[in-house]
Amino acid sequence: MVSKETYSFNDRDTTMITLRPEFTAAMVRAIISGGFTQSMPIKWFSSGPLFRHERPQKGRYRQFHQINCEYFGPQEAGADAELILIAHKILRTLGVADDVTLEINSLGDPESRSNYRDALYAYLSQYKDELSEESQRRLEKNPLRILDSKNAGDKEICKNAPKMADYMNDASKERFEEVLSTLTALDIPYQINPNLVRGMDYYTHTVFEFTTEKLGSQGTVLAGGRYDRLSEIMGGAAIPAIGFAAGVERLAELTKYPEGFPFNDELIYLLPMGTESQKHMLGLMDTLTEEGFTVTMDYSGNVAKRMKKADKLHARIVIILGDDELQAKQCAIKDMLTGGGDKVPLDIDKIIDHCIAIMDTTAVEGE
Ligand code: ATP
Ligand code: MG
């Protein structure tokens, strides 16, 4: 039932194995067979590696990772907005909310969707011979997927395709309006993309993607939608559900040192000079990480270059320990934000206090 390019092979004992291509189906199976049907609402979060036999390229791997959220139970438009809010909050916390656009569409209820499917099929059939091979294959089974084609010729043909909005019944239209007005009330900007679809036909109503222009052609970092019909299709009770999955590798690429990234600010960079100093620094690293600081250290090289490297890593603090300092039982602690520096006694409690004081300054200024 999962039409993703699954990664399947025979195990040594010839058992046929398929590595999981996504989380959603497994979550629904857990609801059905784990007896959770009476425990709605349920919000489940999952993360981990997934496998798809795709052509590897930048942002598209055969093993990759997702963080995944599913919300089972409520059917109301408010739940769609709540889930999108969670997605937005994750992107906000990672400091990339301004780098992404929320694209949203509605596929309507099953009746609307099926009317649209017929209209789309009739339209695309006229261009059957001009469509890409893959889209020709999809035409009979799943014409909606053709709207998602990355092929330039297909895209051109889809420009004049019938629009979902014209096939939605009133109840579906109203529901979509409610999702949109809730997003507006929550201050979450969006763009309606009438060609946005999710491939599987258990998707209904809201579908959405957070996309970016910063990652080239693999620009979708997070994708989701409502899939009220999946549980039934899998043999369970009808359970309204909406979920999303974000690609961790694409998120990581996007979060490379953005403005205001919350964790890099707290990086402490240790800069020892000589083997004696290294021994002290490794002890210091042990204690500082124990205290919850993020610490990195390098071992040798030109000091100016090492300072540049610390700067590039957005280190907030650099601690320098050379022979002179060692002699004087001191270390130099540099605040990379203000450029200020102090000599601090080589005493772990004093060093920690000093680092906390520096980081507290940011917190106060940041308010
Ligand atoms: P795409 O259109 O990019 O193929 P998809 O429709 O297959 O995406 P989903 O199955 O909804 O995507 O997965 C959600 C997210 O997981 C994607 O938006 C993307 O960030 C990430 N993702 C999907 N496939 C891969 C892959 N092969 N490598 C890396 N990340 C991926
Ligand atoms: Mg894909």
Side-chain angles (χ1 to χ4, degrees):
M1 69 156 300
V2 180
S3 87
K4 308 269 183 206
E5 297 90 337
T6 47
Y7 218 117
S8 304
F9 53 90
N10 286 319
D11 202 1
R12 286 190 181 197
D13 62 0
T14 70
T15 314
M16 176 72 158
I17 290 195
T18 294
L19 304 178
R20 68 177 173 195
E22 54 142 51
F23 285 106
T24 307
M27 297 297 122
V28 175
R29 200 170 299 118
I31 294 268
I32 297 170
S33 59
F36 290 97
T37 315
Q38 304 305 321
S39 323
M40 300 298 145
I42 286 176
K43 277 184 207 163
W44 273 347
F45 176 78
S46 43
S47 70
L50 303 161
F51 304 83
R52 294 183 193 171
H53 201 279
E54 304 193 277
R55 189 171 69 80
Q57 49 192 295
K58 187 170 180 284
R60 192 174 295 285
Y61 313 104
R62 288 185 168 177
Q63 176 174 358
F64 63 100
H65 298 75
Q66 281 182 347
I67 50 176
N68 183 79
C69 260
E70 316 285 354
Y71 192 2
F72 299 96
Q75 200 157 23
E76 288 79 3
D80 301 29
E82 181 185 345
L83 192 85
I84 293 173
L85 178 66
I86 293 171
H88 191 255
K89 201 191 268 293
I90 290 173
L91 297 169
R92 235 186 296 154
T93 310
L94 289 171
V96 299
D98 292 339
D99 298 325
V100 296
T101 305
L102 167 59
E103 299 182 40
I104 190 166
N105 193 23
S106 171
L107 303 172
D109 60 11
E111 180 195 79
S112 308
R113 185 183 164 127
S114 134
N115 289 340
Y116 177 57
R117 185 195 150 108
D118 293 347
L120 192 62
Y121 177 77
Y123 170 84
L124 290 172
S125 300
Q126 306 171 75
Y127 301 96
K128 187 168 181 191
D129 299 335
E130 294 155 56
L131 289 169
S132 68
E133 244 173 77
E134 194 177 18
S135 291
Q136 289 189 16
R137 245 183 297 123
R138 282 174 170 162
L139 185 58
E140 301 297 327
K141 252 181 75 193
N142 199 346
L144 263 71
R145 270 303 282 275
I146 298 175
L147 295 175
D148 193 29
S149 167
K150 276 119 195 160
N151 175 283
D154 291 352
K155 278 188 178 169
E156 201 51 43
I157 293 170
C158 288
K159 269 190 189 155
N160 295 317
K163 297 284 177 260
M164 181 68 223
D166 299 325
Y167 294 82
M168 288 230 273
N169 55 29
D170 288 345
S172 300
K173 268 189 208 162
E174 241 168 72
R175 190 184 187 285
F176 190 36
E177 279 308 320
E178 199 182 323
V179 174
L180 297 179
S181 61
T182 310
L183 291 176
T184 303
L186 290 168
D187 253 340
I188 299 176
Y190 59 81
Q191 262 173 29
I192 297 175
N193 175 355
N195 283 343
L196 183 67
V197 293
R198 304 258 80 205
M200 312 301 171
D201 45 83
Y202 45 77
Y203 280 101
T204 51
H205 296 295
T206 310
V207 289
F208 63 97
E209 284 186 359
F210 284 88
T211 59
T212 180
E213 310 215 305
K214 294 197 164 175
L215 297 182
S217 52
Q218 313 310 328
T220 303
V221 293
L222 184 154
R226 178 163 281 283
Y227 54 95
D228 291 346
R229 297 180 57 227
L230 181 56
S231 173
E232 266 176 304
I233 292 174
M234 288 178 65
I239 299 170
I242 182 164
F244 69 76
V248 171
E249 286 77 8
R250 292 186 198 177
L251 279 177
E253 193 62 28
L254 200 57
T255 53
K256 269 191 185 159
Y257 323 130
E259 292 290 326
F261 188 61
F263 311 114
N264 274 350
D265 270 352
E266 292 170 10
L267 180 67
I268 299 177
Y269 192 97
L270 303 182
L271 202 155
M273 289 186 265
T275 41
E276 247 341 277
S277 158
Q278 266 172 36
K279 285 179 197 154
H280 274 277
M281 284 285 197
L282 280 172
L284 193 58
M285 176 187 254
D286 190 26
T287 315
L288 286 172
T289 47
E290 204 64 39
E291 291 289 318
F293 291 102
T294 307
V295 185
T296 190
M297 160 164 158
D298 70 3
Y299 288 86
S300 61
N302 169 297
V303 174
K305 275 193 188 148
R306 293 161 81 184
M307 288 300 289
K308 256 192 205 147
K309 204 159 144 199
D311 197 41
K312 210 171 150 196
L313 287 173
H314 287 205
R316 176 64 206 271
I317 291 170
V318 176
I319 305 181
I320 303 169
L321 188 59
D323 285 343
D324 293 350
E325 284 96 353
L326 212 53
Q327 283 269 308
K329 292 201 168 17
Q330 284 184 330
C331 62
I333 299 189
K334 212 166 147 53
D335 180 344
M336 298 295 276
L337 198 70
T338 62
D342 282 303
K343 298 269 181 190
V344 176
L346 208 50
D347 171 292
I348 188 66
D349 291 327
K350 297 220 163 71
I351 292 174
I352 288 172
D353 285 348
H354 201 87
C355 289
I356 289 174
I358 288 178
M359 285 173 185
D360 277 353
T361 336
T362 338
V364 172
E365 284 170 359
E367 269 169 11

